[in-house]
Amino acid sequence: SERMKRNICRILAAENMYVSPKNIQIVSETNQALNYLMTLYLKEGDSVIVEEPIVPDNASIFRNKGLNMIPVPMERDGMDLKKLEPLIQKHSPKFIYTMPNYHNPTGRVMCLEKRIQLLETAQRYGVPIIEEDSQRDFRYTESKLPSLYSLDKYKSVVYIDSFTLTFPYGIKTGYIVGPSDLVEMLGRLIVVDETFVSNM
């Protein structure tokens, strides 16, 4: 596990994301990562900003937790940020969930200007961002945009990714990158969850 974390650190460094193993929690896939983050930080009735359309699996995670999904429509270059701010003011969401690289299911990529603007808006209202980057391996050109995590000056982004698309079929490995205290709490939650499942 520690070896895998060190290898992930090297992969991320190539994307200008400099973290240490204590900032990484291994999970089976990004759905599980999302589920654990929702369990840890949100309660029934809380609101989450999501990009519309959202894949059914992720929508189910939010619904099963009793969360209010606040949809923001997509434009050709990513989330419609003109509609985001009034929704934050109205609903006081606990998170903004986004896939800036090859959004699933639209395949759209958030432009650099919008990435910077999204970070500034989120910081202004104190709303953390969950950035899922599990589609980044679909990049077939040399040009690549920096992740929200690498652009973030405010330490407000939790980054989730998985190797499900690049590893052989059936091998599921994902990870969460965030502050060390978040990773520590996630580790405890996962141990409790796995102990509960194994005792069933």
Side-chain angles (χ1 to χ4, degrees):
S1 178
E2 283 303 308
R3 183 179 173 188
M4 179 177 283
K5 287 181 180 181
R6 286 195 298 272
N7 287 333
I8 289 170
C9 288
R10 282 195 283 272
I11 290 168
L12 293 177
E15 304 281 340
N16 292 317
M17 297 168 61
Y18 301 102
V19 300
S20 70
K22 69 180 181 180
N23 300 113
I24 296 171
Q25 175 62 54
I26 305 294
V27 292
S28 63
E29 55 186 326
T30 51
N31 283 359
Q32 189 187 51
L34 207 51
N35 193 23
Y36 282 133
L37 288 166
M38 297 303 103
T39 300
L40 201 56
Y41 284 107
L42 279 77
K43 63 184 186 301
E44 191 171 341
D46 283 345
S47 296
V48 180
I49 296 276
V50 300
E51 292 162 322
E52 189 177 48
I54 181 170
V55 291
D57 282 356
N58 289 347
S60 294
I61 289 170
F62 296 128
R63 283 198 197 99
N64 290 341
K65 300 284 182 191
L67 306 175
N68 298 319
M69 287 184 291
I70 312 301
V72 178
M74 295 288 283
E75 298 180 302
R76 292 180 67 84
D77 57 355
M79 188 190 294
D80 185 345
L81 296 184
K82 290 187 293 295
K83 294 189 173 155
L84 173 65
E85 195 157 357
L87 289 172
I88 292 176
Q89 291 168 343
K90 182 178 180 183
H91 297 282
S92 301
K94 293 296 173 71
F95 277 106
I96 297 168
Y97 169 66
T98 178
M99 293 183 71
N101 288 330
Y102 310 101
H103 171 262
N104 188 6
T106 65
R108 291 174 184 171
V109 176
M110 188 182 290
C111 68
L112 180 59
E113 185 184 351
K114 278 193 172 182
R115 291 175 193 233
I116 293 166
Q117 191 181 339
L118 173 58
L119 288 166
E120 289 172 352
T121 302
Q123 169 64 14
R124 194 155 59 247
Y125 292 97
V127 185
I129 295 170
I130 298 174
E131 175 183 20
E132 180 174 344
D133 208 10
S134 58
Q135 307 292 312
R136 70 187 168 103
D137 290 314
F138 285 122
R139 182 176 63 221
Y140 297 115
T141 64
E142 285 304 310
S143 61
K144 57 184 177 183
L145 291 169
S147 65
L148 293 171
Y149 189 96
S150 67
L151 292 167
D152 179 26
K153 303 191 292 274
Y154 314 110
K155 302 285 185 261
S156 62
V157 177
V158 176
Y159 180 90
I160 61 176
D161 189 14
S162 91
F163 300 113
T164 305
L165 297 174
T166 49
F167 278 13
Y169 182 75
I171 298 177
K172 292 185 175 182
T173 304
Y175 58 94
I176 303 168
V177 180
S180 55
D181 55 345
L182 161 67
V183 168
E184 193 177 320
M185 285 190 289
L186 283 167
R188 288 199 207 114
L189 176 63
I190 289 167
V191 168
V192 169
D193 190 46
E194 288 175 349
T195 303
F196 175 76
V197 170
S198 64
N199 288 337
M200 285 180 69

